[in-house]
């Protein structure tokens, strides 16, 4: 996606959409699960970030996976996607 057309969403909007606190999003960031853009100490999330957040929520709430497990699962999914793109 072109950087000129990338939509960015403020942390408060993302937190409200996913029914979590901004502190939860920061905790996911500190755990290395999310990588928002930071501009003047304000975090902004892309559509890809929100898709990743959706996966994090499914893994934690539905599957009961802790954050360390979520990290492993997401890394494996990223690796699978990378391998598929190489084929």
């Amino acid at each position: 996606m072109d950087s000129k057309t990338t939509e960015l969403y403020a942390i408060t909007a993302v937190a409200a959409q996913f029914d979590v606190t901004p502190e939860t999003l920061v905790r996911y960031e500190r755990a290395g699960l999310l990588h928002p853009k930071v501009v003047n100490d304000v975090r902004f999330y892309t559509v890809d970030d929100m898709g990743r957040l959706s996966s994090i929520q499914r893994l934690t709430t539905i599957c009961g996976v802790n954050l360390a497990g979520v990290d492993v699962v997401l890394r494996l999914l990223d690796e699978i996607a990378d391998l598929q793109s190489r084929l």
Side-chain angles (χ1 to χ4, degrees):
M1 187 178 280
D2 185 357
S3 63
K4 293 179 183 176
T5 60
T6 300
E7 293 184 37
L8 297 175
Y9 301 90
I11 189 169
T12 52
V14 175
Q17 180 177 343
F18 284 90
D19 195 29
V20 297
T21 64
E23 291 79 12
T24 298
L25 297 176
V26 172
R27 185 175 46 160
Y28 292 163
E29 179 185 353
R30 288 185 182 141
L33 302 175
L34 289 175
H35 306 285
K37 314 290 182 254
V38 181
V39 179
N40 296 327
D41 292 330
V42 178
R43 289 166 170 80
F44 293 97
Y45 296 84
T46 64
V47 173
D48 289 341
D49 292 328
M50 293 195 305
R52 192 166 179 92
L53 179 56
S54 179
S55 296
I56 293 167
Q57 276 196 316
R58 276 194 312 273
L59 288 167
T60 56
T61 58
I62 296 171
C63 301
V65 178
N66 64 21
L67 293 184
V70 169
D71 184 44
V72 171
V73 171
L74 292 178
R75 286 178 193 266
L76 289 172
L77 290 173
D78 289 344
E79 189 173 329
I80 289 169
D82 182 51
L83 291 171
Q84 286 178 329
S85 71
R86 291 182 189 186
L87 293 176

